[in-house]
Amino acid sequence: MIIKNVKKYTENCNFEDAEIYIEGELFAGSVTEDASEPVIDGEGAYALPGLIDLHFHGCIGADFCDGSREALEKISAYEASVGVTTIAPATMTLPTTELEQILANAAEYQKNPAPGADLVGINMEGPFISPAKKGAQDERNIIPCDVDICRRFLEASKGLVKFIGIAPEESEDAVSFIREVKDEVHVSLAHTNADYDTALAAFQAGADHAVHLYNAMPPFTHRAPGVVGAAADCEHVWAELICDGVHIHPATVRATFKMLGDDRIVLISDSMRATGMPDGVYTLGGLDVQVKGNRATLVSDGALAGSVTNLMDCMRTAVKKMDISLESAVKCATINPARCLGVDKEYGSITAGKYADLVLLDQDLNIKRIIKKGALL
């Protein structure tokens, strides 16, 4: 396949007028043009790699924690349909045995996946979190971080778990936990009430990821910079941002890009099962959630409960309503999450030898075409 007349997003994270070549499932350096070779006129569209969402819970009525093949099939199909071609769904804080079953279901699904977005990882948001910053997580299932339980999760998922979140202030053994497992799984700070010093100690011990920065953590203030300040001071730490227009003020998003730079930010959706569905009451982690417009809140106390915005729409919002450059936004939704997940040799850029996952957007960032592993969707 040859795709002509596009503005290609390059490995240098800018757009250049170019042609794109696809051979089989992979991007190619060139192909022999003949009458049998499909040629697509991109009509000046932006051509960018398929997006990668490494933190979301569900969509279109299904949740990763439903623990069924049917749920994963629905999630995968929907995500691919909106240009999110690679996924690493997130768990909630549930009983450990139930989490093991959910992880095992994902591992089984990966052996024979359905068409749609590729499942390349799992982001465990609980159960090692803080009751003080539980958000929409069920406090009854929160436990201190535990090496043996962590390894049970890794085994159940057959290596699919890429991130395990902890609240380091909740356990005297947090630093030793991080040192023990950091070479087996990325440790993130998630739903935590840690102050700056505690967060810094966790990052210095080897934690390298901050789950939905600003949300479910102490505020960033001039005398108490908290997790945000510690993440800013540790250059090896990646920070997730939810740019749905609800979770973080546009000025804060702009300030964060200036503070961290676009090398360390990963755009996520944190979307729940109501994404792509009408307003109403849905569930998240066993708790009832009221959805109205693009806002999802717990019925019990009004706390924000994830988003109802897919990653493509989050990226658009970052560009069109938050004044983040398209070049930076694409970087933070493609190659950055690929690097976080350790799959950047196969995904994340339009590079010969990588999977040919491609999205063409018009000048208003509306989807024109989606290509998954060399096939038009």
Side-chain angles (χ1 to χ4, degrees):
M1 182 185 296
I2 301 173
I3 304 169
K4 296 187 172 185
N5 189 21
V6 293
K7 299 180 187 301
K8 172 187 171 184
Y9 190 73
T10 74
E11 291 177 302
N12 295 322
C13 301
N14 61 356
F15 287 96
E16 294 180 357
D17 293 335
E19 294 183 351
I20 296 171
Y21 308 107
I22 295 172
E23 190 165 343
E25 293 188 339
L26 307 177
F27 289 119
S30 63
V31 294
T32 302
E33 186 171 354
D34 57 42
S36 65
E37 195 69 50
V39 177
I40 295 173
D41 182 357
E43 301 176 327
Y46 294 111
L48 49 139
L51 305 194
I52 302 172
D53 198 349
L54 61 68
H55 185 157
F56 76 106
H57 298 278
C59 52
I60 210 73
D63 190 292
F64 178 67
C65 285
D66 290 345
S68 69
R69 179 177 178 86
E70 179 186 14
L72 290 174
E73 288 176 349
K74 291 176 69 174
I75 288 168
S76 176
Y78 171 84
E79 294 296 332
S81 77
V82 295
V84 182
T85 54
T86 308
I87 55 174
T91 58
M92 294 292 288
T93 296
L94 298 166
T96 55
T97 53
E98 187 174 342
L99 286 169
E100 286 179 274
Q101 292 167 356
I102 291 164
L103 300 175
N105 174 69
E108 187 64 26
Y109 171 84
Q110 199 190 37
K111 294 178 183 177
N112 182 30
D118 289 352
L119 175 66
V120 300
I122 297 168
N123 190 338
M124 294 201 72
E125 199 172 1
F128 306 142
I129 61 172
S130 165
K133 293 292 181 181
K134 64 182 185 295
Q137 308 276 348
D138 192 335
E139 184 174 349
R140 294 170 295 180
N141 300 317
I142 293 173
I143 56 175
C145 57
D146 181 287
V147 171
D148 290 338
I149 293 174
C150 175
R151 286 186 172 140
R152 279 166 47 192
F153 292 153
L154 298 180
E155 172 58 28
S157 75
K158 304 303 181 189
L160 263 181
V161 170
K162 304 299 183 185
F163 307 95
I164 188 112
I166 71 166
E169 76 281 7
E170 291 296 322
S171 172
E172 295 178 355
D173 300 322
V175 167
S176 61
F177 171 88
I178 295 167
R179 288 176 177 155
E180 180 74 16
V181 305
K182 67 181 177 63
D183 294 328
E184 303 168 49
V185 64
H186 294 284
V187 180
S188 53
L189 267 56
H191 287 265
T192 171
N193 205 30
D195 59 17
Y196 173 86
D197 291 335
T198 304
L200 184 66
F203 289 138
Q204 289 175 336
D208 62 2
H209 199 83
V211 169
H212 45 49
L213 202 69
Y214 299 105
N215 294 106
M217 62 181 60
F220 174 52
T221 69
H222 61 300
R223 291 196 182 95
V227 178
V228 178
D233 279 348
C234 296
E235 293 189 358
H236 71 288
V237 174
W238 296 90
E240 301 175 355
L241 284 186
I242 310 171
C243 293
D244 63 345
V246 174
H247 281 77
I248 312 173
H249 192 281
T252 303
V253 171
R254 290 190 292 273
T256 306
F257 269 82
K258 292 174 183 175
M259 180 167 62
L260 298 182
D262 62 12
D263 285 337
R264 304 205 270 136
I265 291 172
V266 176
L267 297 187
I268 64 165
S269 71
D270 198 21
S271 69
M272 58 166 289
R273 72 169 76 242
T275 303
M277 301 288 283
D279 289 356
V281 176
Y282 298 85
T283 60
L284 181 66
L287 304 178
D288 287 338
V289 176
Q290 177 71 54
V291 174
K292 187 174 183 180
N294 67 342
R295 193 176 187 90
T297 55
L298 284 183
V299 170
S300 60
D301 62 9
L304 277 178
S307 87
V308 289
T309 307
N310 65 61
L311 182 60
M312 182 63 76
D313 282 336
C314 286
M315 189 186 77
R316 285 193 193 97
T317 298
V319 174
K320 299 176 77 170
K321 297 183 179 180
M322 297 177 172
D323 295 326
I324 302 303
S325 73
L326 179 60
E327 290 81 357
S328 287
V330 172
K331 181 179 181 179
C332 296
T334 57
I335 191 62
N336 284 5
R339 287 171 177 156
C340 265
L341 287 160
V343 297
D344 50 306
K345 290 183 179 179
E346 298 89 19
Y347 302 90
S349 64
I350 304 171
T351 303
K354 292 191 182 185
Y355 286 123
D357 295 345
L358 188 73
V359 183
L360 300 187
L361 302 179
D362 66 18
Q363 299 305 303
D364 202 37
L365 306 187
N366 297 308
I367 294 174
K368 289 170 63 71
R369 289 180 186 266
I370 299 169
I371 295 171
K372 181 78 186 79
K373 289 186 176 175
L376 285 168
L377 295 186

